[in-house]
Coordinates of all heavy atoms in Angstrom, one line a residue:
M2 N 19.9 18.7 14.6 CA 20.2 17.2 14.4 C 21.5 17.1 13.5 O 21.6 17.6 12.3 CB 18.9 16.7 13.7 CG 19.0 15.1 13.7 SD 19.0 14.4 15.3 CE 17.4 14.8 15.9
V3 N 22.3 16.3 13.9 CA 23.6 16.0 13.2 C 23.8 14.5 12.9 O 23.4 13.7 13.7 CB 24.8 16.5 14.1 CG1 26.1 16.2 13.2 CG2 24.7 18.0 14.4
C4 N 24.0 14.3 11.6 CA 24.3 12.9 11.3 C 25.5 12.2 11.9 O 26.6 12.8 11.9 CB 24.4 12.7 9.7 SG 24.9 11.1 9.2
P5 N 25.3 11.0 12.6 CA 26.4 10.5 13.3 C 27.5 9.9 12.4 O 28.6 9.5 12.9 CB 25.8 9.4 14.2 CG 24.4 9.2 13.5 CD 24.0 10.4 12.8
K6 N 27.1 9.7 11.1 CA 28.0 9.1 10.2 C 28.9 10.1 9.5 O 30.1 9.9 9.4 CB 27.2 8.3 9.2 CG 28.1 7.3 8.4 CD 27.2 6.5 7.5 CE 28.0 5.5 6.7 NZ 27.1 4.8 5.7
C7 N 28.3 11.2 8.9 CA 29.0 12.1 8.2 C 29.1 13.5 8.8 O 29.7 14.4 8.3 CB 28.5 12.2 6.8 SG 27.0 13.0 6.6
N8 N 28.4 13.6 10.0 CA 28.4 14.9 10.7 C 27.6 16.0 9.9 O 27.8 17.2 10.2 CB 29.8 15.3 11.1 CG 30.3 14.5 12.3 OD1 29.6 14.1 13.1 ND2 31.6 14.2 12.2
G9 N 26.9 15.7 8.9 CA 26.1 16.6 8.1 C 24.9 17.1 9.0 O 24.3 16.3 9.7
T10 N 24.5 18.3 8.6 CA 23.3 18.8 9.4 C 22.0 18.7 8.5 O 20.9 19.1 8.9 CB 23.5 20.2 9.7 OG1 24.0 20.9 8.6 CG2 24.6 20.3 10.9
N11 N 22.2 18.2 7.2 CA 21.1 18.2 6.4 C 20.3 16.8 6.6 O 20.3 15.9 5.8 CB 21.6 18.2 4.8 CG 20.4 18.3 3.9 OD1 19.3 18.7 4.3 ND2 20.7 18.1 2.6
V12 N 19.7 16.8 7.7 CA 18.9 15.6 8.2 C 17.4 15.7 8.2 O 16.9 16.8 8.7 CB 19.3 15.2 9.6 CG1 18.6 13.9 10.1 CG2 20.8 15.0 9.6
N13 N 16.7 14.8 7.7 CA 15.2 14.9 7.5 C 14.7 14.0 8.7 O 15.0 12.8 8.7 CB 14.8 14.4 6.2 CG 13.3 14.6 6.0 OD1 12.8 15.5 6.5 ND2 12.8 13.8 5.1
V14 N 13.8 14.6 9.5 CA 13.2 13.9 10.6 C 11.7 13.6 10.3 O 10.9 14.5 10.1 CB 13.4 14.7 12.0 CG1 12.8 13.9 13.1 CG2 14.8 15.0 12.2
T15 N 11.4 12.3 10.3 CA 10.0 11.9 10.0 C 9.6 10.9 11.1 O 10.3 10.4 11.8 CB 9.8 11.3 8.6 OG1 10.8 10.3 8.4 CG2 10.1 12.4 7.5
T16 N 8.3 10.7 11.0 CA 7.7 9.6 11.8 C 7.3 8.5 11.1 O 6.6 8.6 10.1 CB 6.5 10.3 12.6 OG1 6.8 11.5 13.2 CG2 6.0 9.3 13.7
E17 N 7.7 7.4 11.5 CA 7.4 6.1 10.9 C 6.6 5.2 11.7 O 6.8 5.0 12.9 CB 8.8 5.3 10.6 CG 8.7 4.3 9.5 CD 10.1 3.7 9.3 OE1 10.5 2.9 10.0 OE2 10.7 4.0 8.2
T18 N 5.5 4.7 11.0 CA 4.6 3.9 11.8 C 4.7 2.4 11.5 O 4.8 2.0 10.3 CB 3.1 4.3 11.4 OG1 2.9 5.7 11.6 CG2 2.1 3.6 12.2
T19 N 5.0 1.7 12.5 CA 5.2 0.3 12.3 C 4.3 -0.6 13.1 O 4.0 -0.2 14.4 CB 6.7 -0.1 12.7 OG1 7.0 0.4 14.0 CG2 7.6 0.4 11.7
G20 N 3.7 -1.6 12.6 CA 2.9 -2.5 13.3 C 3.7 -3.5 14.0 O 4.4 -4.3 13.3
M21 N 3.6 -3.6 15.4 CA 4.5 -4.6 16.1 C 3.6 -5.6 16.6 O 2.5 -5.3 17.3 CB 5.3 -3.9 17.1 CG 6.5 -3.2 16.5 SD 7.6 -2.5 17.8 CE 8.5 -4.0 18.1
S22 N 3.9 -6.9 16.5 CA 3.1 -7.9 17.1 C 3.5 -8.1 18.6 O 4.6 -8.0 18.9 CB 3.6 -9.2 16.4 OG 2.8 -10.3 17.1
T23 N 2.4 -8.1 19.4 CA 2.6 -8.2 20.8 C 2.4 -9.5 21.3 O 2.4 -9.9 22.5 CB 1.6 -7.3 21.5 OG1 0.3 -7.5 21.1 CG2 2.0 -5.7 21.2
R24 N 2.1 -10.5 20.4 CA 1.8 -11.9 20.8 C 3.0 -12.6 21.4 O 3.8 -13.0 20.7 CB 1.2 -12.6 19.6 CG 0.7 -14.0 20.0 CD 0.3 -14.8 18.9 NE -1.1 -14.4 18.4 CZ -1.7 -15.0 17.4 NH1 -1.2 -16.0 16.7 NH2 -2.9 -14.6 17.0
N25 N 3.1 -12.6 22.7 CA 4.1 -13.4 23.3 C 5.5 -13.1 22.9 O 6.4 -13.9 23.0 CB 3.8 -14.9 23.2 CG 2.5 -15.4 23.8 OD1 2.1 -14.7 24.8 ND2 2.0 -16.4 23.4
R26 N 5.7 -11.9 22.5 CA 7.1 -11.6 22.1 C 7.7 -10.4 22.9 O 6.9 -9.4 23.1 CB 7.1 -11.2 20.6 CG 7.3 -12.5 19.7 CD 7.4 -12.1 18.3 NE 7.2 -13.3 17.5 CZ 7.1 -13.2 16.1 NH1 7.2 -12.1 15.6 NH2 6.9 -14.3 15.5
G27 N 8.8 -10.6 23.4 CA 9.4 -9.5 24.2 C 8.8 -9.4 25.6 O 9.3 -8.5 26.3
R28 N 7.9 -10.2 25.9 CA 7.3 -10.2 27.2 C 8.3 -10.9 28.3 O 8.3 -10.4 29.4 CB 6.0 -10.9 27.2 CG 5.0 -10.1 26.3 CD 4.3 -9.0 27.0 NE 3.1 -8.6 26.4 CZ 2.4 -7.5 26.8 NH1 2.5 -7.0 27.9 NH2 1.2 -7.3 26.1
G29 N 8.8 -11.9 27.9 CA 9.7 -12.7 28.9 C 8.8 -13.6 29.8 O 7.7 -13.4 29.7
C30 N 9.6 -14.3 30.6 CA 8.9 -15.2 31.6 C 8.4 -14.5 32.6 O 7.4 -14.9 33.3 CB 10.0 -16.2 32.0 SG 11.4 -15.5 32.9
L31 N 8.8 -13.2 33.0 CA 8.2 -12.4 34.0 C 6.8 -12.1 33.7 O 6.0 -12.1 34.6 CB 9.2 -11.1 34.1 CG 9.0 -10.5 35.5 CD1 9.8 -11.3 36.5 CD2 9.6 -9.1 35.5
W32 N 6.5 -11.8 32.5 CA 5.1 -11.6 32.1 C 4.2 -12.8 32.3 O 3.1 -12.7 32.8 CB 5.1 -11.1 30.7 CG 3.6 -11.2 30.1 CD1 3.3 -11.9 29.1 CD2 2.5 -10.3 30.4 NE1 1.9 -11.6 28.8 CE2 1.5 -10.7 29.6 CE3 2.3 -9.3 31.3 CZ2 0.3 -10.1 29.7 CZ3 1.0 -8.7 31.4 CH2 0.1 -9.0 30.6
G33 N 4.7 -13.9 32.1 CA 4.1 -15.2 32.2 C 3.7 -15.4 33.6 O 2.6 -15.8 34.1
I34 N 4.7 -15.1 34.5 CA 4.6 -15.4 36.0 C 3.5 -14.4 36.4 O 2.6 -14.8 37.3 CB 5.9 -15.2 36.7 CG1 6.9 -16.4 36.3 CG2 5.8 -15.2 38.2 CD1 8.3 -16.1 36.6
G35 N 3.6 -13.1 36.0 CA 2.7 -12.1 36.5 C 1.3 -12.4 36.1 O 0.3 -12.3 36.8
R36 N 1.2 -12.9 34.8 CA -0.2 -13.2 34.3 C -0.8 -14.4 35.1 O -2.0 -14.4 35.5 CB 0.0 -13.6 32.9 CG -1.3 -13.7 32.1 CD -1.0 -13.7 30.6 NE -2.3 -13.9 29.9 CZ -2.8 -15.1 29.5 NH1 -2.1 -16.2 29.7 NH2 -3.9 -15.1 28.9
A37 N 0.1 -15.4 35.3 CA -0.4 -16.6 36.1 C -0.8 -16.1 37.5 O -1.9 -16.6 38.1 CB 0.7 -17.6 36.1
T38 N 0.0 -15.3 38.2 CA -0.4 -14.8 39.4 C -1.7 -14.0 39.5 O -2.5 -14.2 40.4 CB 0.8 -13.9 40.0 OG1 1.9 -14.5 39.8 CG2 0.5 -13.5 41.4
L39 N -1.9 -13.3 38.5 CA -3.2 -12.4 38.3 C -4.4 -13.4 38.2 O -5.4 -13.2 38.8 CB -3.1 -11.5 37.2 CG -2.5 -10.1 37.4 CD1 -2.2 -9.4 36.1 CD2 -3.5 -9.3 38.2
I40 N -4.2 -14.4 37.4 CA -5.2 -15.4 37.2 C -5.5 -16.1 38.4 O -6.6 -16.4 38.8 CB -4.8 -16.4 36.0 CG1 -4.8 -15.6 34.7 CG2 -5.8 -17.6 35.9 CD1 -4.0 -16.4 33.6
F41 N -4.5 -16.5 39.2 CA -4.6 -17.3 40.4 C -5.4 -16.4 41.5 O -6.2 -16.8 42.1 CB -3.2 -17.7 40.9 CG -3.3 -18.3 42.3 CD1 -3.7 -19.8 42.2 CD2 -2.9 -17.8 43.4 CE1 -3.8 -20.4 43.4 CE2 -3.0 -18.5 44.6 CZ -3.4 -19.8 44.7
C42 N -4.9 -15.1 41.6 CA -5.4 -14.2 42.6 C -6.9 -13.8 42.3 O -7.7 -13.6 43.3 CB -4.7 -12.9 42.7 SG -3.0 -13.2 43.4
T43 N -7.3 -13.9 41.1 CA -8.7 -13.5 40.8 C -9.6 -14.7 40.5 O -10.6 -14.5 39.9 CB -8.7 -12.5 39.6 OG1 -8.1 -13.1 38.4 CG2 -8.0 -11.2 39.9
C44 N -9.0 -15.9 40.8 CA -9.7 -17.1 40.6 C -10.2 -17.3 39.2 O -11.2 -17.8 38.8 CB -10.9 -17.3 41.6 SG -10.4 -17.1 43.3
G45 N -9.3 -16.9 38.3 CA -9.5 -17.0 36.8 C -10.3 -16.0 36.3 O -10.6 -15.9 35.0
L46 N -10.8 -15.0 37.0 CA -11.5 -13.9 36.4 C -10.8 -13.0 35.5 O -11.3 -12.6 34.6 CB -12.1 -13.0 37.6 CG -13.4 -13.4 38.4 CD1 -13.6 -12.6 39.5 CD2 -14.5 -13.3 37.2
W47 N -9.5 -12.9 35.8 CA -8.6 -12.1 35.1 C -8.5 -12.7 33.7 O -8.4 -11.9 32.7 CB -7.3 -11.9 35.7 CG -6.5 -10.8 35.1 CD1 -6.5 -9.5 35.3 CD2 -5.5 -11.0 34.0 NE1 -5.6 -8.9 34.5 CE2 -5.0 -9.7 33.7 CE3 -5.1 -12.1 33.2 CZ2 -4.0 -9.6 32.7 CZ3 -4.1 -12.0 32.2 CH2 -3.6 -10.7 32.0
L48 N -8.5 -14.0 33.6 CA -8.5 -14.6 32.3 C -9.7 -14.3 31.4 O -9.5 -14.1 30.2 CB -8.4 -16.2 32.5 CG -7.9 -17.0 31.3 CD1 -6.4 -16.8 31.1 CD2 -8.2 -18.5 31.6
L49 N -10.9 -14.2 32.0 CA -12.0 -13.8 31.3 C -12.0 -12.5 30.8 O -12.3 -12.0 29.7 CB -13.3 -14.0 32.2 CG -13.6 -15.4 32.6 CD1 -14.7 -15.4 33.6 CD2 -14.1 -16.2 31.3
V50 N -11.4 -11.5 31.8 CA -11.2 -10.2 31.3 C -10.2 -10.1 30.2 O -10.5 -9.3 29.2 CB -10.7 -9.3 32.6 CG1 -10.4 -7.9 32.1 CG2 -11.8 -9.2 33.6
G51 N -9.1 -10.8 30.3 CA -8.2 -10.7 29.3 C -8.7 -11.2 28.0 O -8.3 -10.7 26.9
K52 N -9.6 -12.2 28.0 CA -10.1 -12.8 26.9 C -11.0 -11.8 26.2 O -11.1 -11.7 24.9 CB -10.9 -14.1 27.1 CG -10.0 -15.3 27.0 CD -10.8 -16.6 27.1 CE -10.0 -17.8 27.0 NZ -10.7 -19.0 27.3
S53 N -11.9 -11.2 27.0 CA -13.0 -10.2 26.5 C -12.3 -9.0 25.8 O -12.8 -8.3 25.0 CB -13.9 -9.9 27.5 OG -13.3 -9.1 28.5
K54 N -11.1 -8.7 26.3 CA -10.4 -7.5 25.8 C -9.9 -7.6 24.4 O -9.8 -6.7 23.7 CB -9.1 -7.3 26.6 CG -9.3 -6.2 27.7 CD -8.1 -5.9 28.4 CE -8.3 -4.7 29.5 NZ -7.1 -4.5 30.2
G55 N -10.0 -8.8 23.9 CA -10.0 -9.0 22.4 C -8.7 -9.5 21.8 O -7.9 -10.0 22.4
K56 N -8.8 -9.3 20.4 CA -7.9 -10.0 19.6 C -6.8 -9.1 19.0 O -6.2 -9.4 18.0 CB -8.6 -10.8 18.5 CG -9.6 -11.7 19.1 CD -10.4 -12.4 18.1 CE -11.4 -13.4 18.7 NZ -12.0 -14.2 17.7
S57 N -6.6 -7.9 19.6 CA -5.7 -6.9 19.1 C -4.3 -7.4 19.4 O -3.7 -7.0 20.3 CB -5.9 -5.5 19.6 OG -5.9 -5.5 21.0
N58 N -3.8 -8.2 18.4 CA -2.4 -8.6 18.7 C -1.4 -7.7 18.1 O -0.2 -7.8 18.2 CB -2.3 -10.0 18.0 CG -3.0 -11.0 18.8 OD1 -3.0 -11.0 19.9 ND2 -3.6 -12.0 18.0
T59 N -1.9 -6.8 17.4 CA -1.0 -5.8 16.7 C -1.0 -4.5 17.4 O -2.1 -4.0 17.8 CB -1.3 -5.6 15.2 OG1 -2.6 -5.4 15.1 CG2 -0.8 -6.8 14.4
N60 N 0.1 -3.9 17.7 CA 0.1 -2.6 18.3 C 0.9 -1.7 17.4 O 1.9 -1.9 16.9 CB 1.0 -2.8 19.6 CG 0.6 -1.9 20.7 OD1 -0.5 -1.3 20.5 ND2 1.3 -1.9 21.9
V61 N 0.2 -0.5 17.2 CA 0.9 0.5 16.3 C 1.9 1.3 17.1 O 1.6 1.9 18.2 CB -0.2 1.4 15.7 CG1 0.4 2.5 14.8 CG2 -1.2 0.5 14.9
V62 N 3.1 1.3 16.5 CA 4.2 2.0 17.2 C 4.6 3.0 16.3 O 5.0 2.7 15.1 CB 5.2 1.0 17.6 CG1 6.4 1.8 18.2 CG2 4.7 0.0 18.5
N63 N 4.8 4.2 16.8 CA 5.4 5.4 16.0 C 6.8 5.6 16.4 O 7.1 5.7 17.5 CB 4.6 6.7 16.3 CG 3.3 6.7 15.6 OD1 3.2 6.4 14.4 ND2 2.3 7.1 16.3
K64 N 7.6 5.5 15.4 CA 8.9 5.7 15.6 C 9.5 7.0 15.0 O 9.0 7.3 13.8 CB 9.8 4.6 14.9 CG 9.9 3.4 15.9 CD 10.7 2.3 15.1 CE 11.0 1.1 16.1 NZ 11.7 0.0 15.3
T65 N 10.3 7.7 15.5 CA 10.9 8.9 14.9 C 12.2 8.5 14.2 O 13.2 7.9 14.8 CB 11.2 10.0 16.0 OG1 10.0 10.2 16.8 CG2 11.7 11.2 15.4
V66 N 12.2 8.7 12.9 CA 13.3 8.2 12.2 C 14.1 9.4 11.5 O 13.4 10.4 11.0 CB 12.9 7.2 11.1 CG1 11.8 7.7 10.2 CG2 14.1 6.8 10.3
C67 N 15.3 9.4 11.5 CA 16.2 10.6 10.9 C 16.8 9.9 9.8 O 17.5 8.9 9.7 CB 17.1 11.0 12.0 SG 16.4 11.7 13.4
I68 N 16.7 10.7 8.7 CA 17.3 10.3 7.4 C 18.3 11.4 6.9 O 17.9 12.5 6.8 CB 16.4 10.0 6.3 CG1 15.4 8.8 6.8 CG2 17.1 9.5 5.0 CD1 14.2 8.8 6.1
C69 N 19.6 11.1 6.9 CA 20.6 12.0 6.4 C 20.5 12.2 4.9 O 20.4 11.2 4.2 CB 22.0 11.5 6.8 SG 23.2 12.6 6.2
Q70 N 20.2 13.5 4.4 CA 20.1 13.7 3.0 C 21.4 13.7 2.3 O 21.5 13.6 1.1 CB 19.4 15.2 2.8 CG 18.2 15.3 3.5 CD 17.1 14.4 3.0 OE1 16.8 14.4 1.8 NE2 16.5 13.5 3.9
D71 N 22.5 13.7 3.0 CA 23.9 13.7 2.4 C 24.4 12.3 2.1 O 24.8 12.0 1.0 CB 24.8 14.5 3.3 CG 24.5 16.0 3.4 OD1 23.9 16.5 2.3 OD2 24.6 16.6 4.4
C72 N 24.3 11.5 3.1 CA 24.9 10.0 3.0 C 23.7 9.0 3.0 O 24.1 7.8 2.7 CB 26.0 9.8 4.0 SG 25.3 9.7 5.7
G73 N 22.6 9.4 3.3 CA 21.5 8.3 3.4 C 21.5 7.5 4.5 O 20.7 6.6 4.6
Y74 N 22.2 7.9 5.5 CA 22.2 7.1 6.8 C 20.9 7.3 7.5 O 20.3 8.5 7.6 CB 23.4 7.6 7.7 CG 23.6 6.8 8.9 CD1 24.0 5.5 8.9 CD2 23.2 7.3 10.2 CE1 24.2 4.7 10.0 CE2 23.3 6.5 11.3 CZ 23.9 5.3 11.3 OH 24.0 4.6 12.4
K75 N 20.4 6.3 8.0 CA 19.0 6.3 8.7 C 19.2 5.7 10.1 O 19.8 4.6 10.3 CB 18.1 5.4 7.9 CG 16.7 5.4 8.2 CD 15.9 4.4 7.4 CE 14.5 4.2 7.9 NZ 13.8 3.3 7.0
W76 N 18.6 6.5 11.1 CA 18.7 6.0 12.4 C 17.4 6.4 13.2 O 16.7 7.4 12.8 CB 19.9 6.4 13.1 CG 20.0 7.9 13.5 CD1 19.7 8.4 14.7 CD2 20.3 9.0 12.6 NE1 19.8 9.8 14.6 CE2 20.2 10.1 13.4 CE3 20.7 9.1 11.3 CZ2 20.5 11.4 12.9 CZ3 21.0 10.3 10.7 CH2 20.9 11.4 11.5
Y77 N 17.2 5.7 14.3 CA 16.0 5.9 15.1 C 16.3 6.6 16.3 O 17.4 6.4 16.8 CB 15.3 4.6 15.4 CG 14.8 4.0 14.2 CD1 15.5 2.9 13.6 CD2 13.5 4.4 13.6 CE1 15.0 2.2 12.5 CE2 12.9 3.7 12.5 CZ 13.7 2.6 12.0 OH 13.2 2.0 10.9
I78 N 15.6 7.6 16.8 CA 15.8 8.3 18.1 C 14.6 8.0 19.0 O 13.5 7.6 18.6 CB 16.0 9.9 17.9 CG1 14.8 10.4 17.1 CG2 17.3 10.0 17.2 CD1 14.8 12.0 17.2
Ligands
ZN1 ZN1 25.1 11.6 6.8

């Protein structure tokens, strides 16, 4: 692993856990269309399934983060 900023090889690689909200973000309109289609095709049954699936609006995301020990530069891979 080489630092892209100072080309140093003294890089610490760790895993960072971040909670990301999945509530209507980053889905785009395509997701809305797909969801509406599913609800329509299943006569609303999918909506019930989706509701019962719960309230987990947060998704735990693990990111691999590299921190350069020489210059402090931090980046994700
Ligand atoms: Zn560096």
Side-chain angles (χ1 to χ4, degrees):
M2 193 61 69
V3 180
C4 173
K6 198 177 178 183
C7 69
N8 288 321
T10 51
N11 194 14
V12 177
N13 190 23
V14 182
T15 53
T16 310
E17 197 174 75
T18 307
T19 49
M21 287 185 78
S22 178
T23 55
R24 187 187 279 184
N25 295 333
R26 274 184 197 170
R28 295 275 194 181
C30 60
L31 203 68
W32 165 247
I34 292 163
R36 194 166 174 266
T38 308
L39 271 166
I40 291 161
F41 179 75
C42 288
T43 57
C44 301
L46 273 170
W47 193 85
L48 197 69
L49 292 169
V50 174
K52 267 186 181 177
S53 67
K54 260 187 181 176
K56 307 182 176 182
S57 59
N58 288 322
T59 49
N60 214 4
V61 175
V62 176
N63 283 317
K64 277 181 175 179
T65 306
V66 58
C67 300
I68 302 159
C69 178
Q70 303 297 301
D71 293 328
C72 69
Y74 186 72
K75 184 180 172 186
W76 74 98
Y77 296 98
I78 54 169

